[in-house]
Amino acid sequence: MHCLLVVVFTTCTIIGADSEPTNATTHSRLPNVLIIGDSISIGYTPYVEAVLEGKAVVVHNEGNAAHSGNGLVKLDAWLGDTEWDVIHFNHGLHDLKYVDDSGKNVESKELGHIQVPLDQYEKNLDAIVTRLKQTRAKLIFATTTPFPDKPSGPLREVADCERYNAVALAVMKRHKIPVNDLYAFALPRLAELQRPNNVHFTDEGSEVLGGEVARRIESALATASRQTRPKHESIRGPGK
């Protein structure tokens, strides 16, 4: 009588600390990026998301950040309980526009006033930066993008854009916050990137701005001290 002996060999793979993580683990460790800003940032955020896909979870604050006073009031809600690695933020375009006493946009000085006076803008930015520094995230402030003199819509004057940016730069210098100077970046190409007689940019212009913002964020992420992150649950999207 003959017996057939069958021996089955099994292979056991031991995953050590140096092994590559699974896709799920990789996703859970993606850094979290928050973009705070007005409609200009809402326009370029999808392009930032595209560039940083697989590298970071990018979230825009809910809605339009509008002026610095609004940002200061809503900042804690925007920050939520997420541990942010990088926060790219801006206020200014709505601060320097003209409104009436009820906050409605106006097209002439005779009908209203600048929404947030320059001295209050400085105080608001100082308070915003002080709060953002508590998050321990890498912070990047973006200057207000340029626009043609007296564009359509509420009254805005070119000289005010330069004045408000100068004050913002002084605040960031005091706090040692890196600046993404989108004003200087866009100004030489404004005719190419911006809609005619408008503060807003074309799709192509938003893509160019998004590329520059993504570049600065990626650079900040490279120097971030925290290497692992809790899983991020995206509760907001650009322009929501």
Side-chain angles (χ1 to χ4, degrees):
M1 181 177 183
H2 299 282
C3 294
L4 178 62
L5 178 64
V6 178
V7 180
V8 179
F9 293 94
T10 60
T11 301
C12 178
T13 301
I14 300 176
I15 300 177
D18 295 329
S19 301
E20 288 295 323
T22 64
N23 288 337
T25 303
T26 301
H27 178 72
S28 70
R29 292 184 178 180
L30 286 178
N32 299 310
V33 174
L34 175 63
I35 296 178
I36 295 174
D38 53 38
S39 57
I40 305 301
S41 66
I42 291 173
Y44 62 62
T45 292
Y47 300 103
V48 178
E49 289 183 297
V51 173
L52 298 182
E53 185 177 1
K55 301 176 183 178
V57 177
V58 179
V59 177
H60 191 281
N61 69 270
E62 187 172 9
N64 188 318
H67 58 84
S68 59
N70 181 65
L72 192 55
V73 169
K74 297 181 178 178
L75 190 54
D76 282 341
W78 293 340
L79 293 173
D81 58 3
T82 299
E83 192 172 359
W84 302 103
D85 290 86
V86 175
I87 301 175
H88 185 280
F89 66 106
N90 164 262
H91 291 284
L93 192 60
H94 283 255
D95 293 80
L96 59 79
K97 74 177 180 179
Y98 279 75
V99 297
D100 62 20
D101 291 340
S102 67
K104 183 179 179 181
N105 294 338
V106 298
E107 299 180 2
S108 72
K109 293 182 178 180
E110 292 73 26
L111 297 175
H113 51 80
I114 284 182
Q115 181 151 242
V116 179
L118 196 57
D119 58 343
Q120 187 61 50
Y121 177 65
E122 180 176 11
K123 292 175 183 177
N124 290 347
L125 281 187
D126 188 81
I128 288 170
V129 172
T130 298
R131 175 64 183 92
L132 289 178
K133 288 168 72 173
Q134 295 173 7
T135 67
R136 298 186 300 118
K138 296 282 185 179
L139 305 180
I140 306 170
F141 178 78
T143 53
T144 298
T145 47
F147 50 81
D149 194 32
K150 299 179 180 178
S152 60
L155 176 62
R156 290 182 173 97
E157 297 185 313
V158 167
D160 288 329
C161 187
E162 295 172 353
R163 291 194 308 126
Y164 276 67
N165 274 336
V167 165
L169 290 173
V171 172
M172 300 310 143
K173 184 177 181 179
R174 285 201 303 269
H175 285 276
K176 299 180 180 179
I177 303 300
V179 172
N180 184 5
D181 195 352
L182 292 180
Y183 178 89
F185 175 79
L187 187 61
R189 305 174 60 182
L190 209 55
E192 170 194 352
L193 303 178
Q194 199 168 53
R195 298 176 188 174
N197 194 35
N198 207 306
V199 298
H200 297 101
F201 291 79
T202 63
D203 291 343
E204 292 78 10
S206 291
E207 183 175 8
V208 171
L209 290 176
E212 179 65 9
V213 171
R215 184 184 72 80
R216 293 300 300 269
I217 290 173
E218 196 164 12
S219 178
L221 287 171
T223 61
S225 59
R226 297 190 299 277
Q227 299 300 313
T228 60
R229 315 296 301 146
K231 186 174 181 180
H232 173 80
E233 295 182 2
S234 180
I235 59 174
R236 309 183 190 99
K240 299 294 185 183

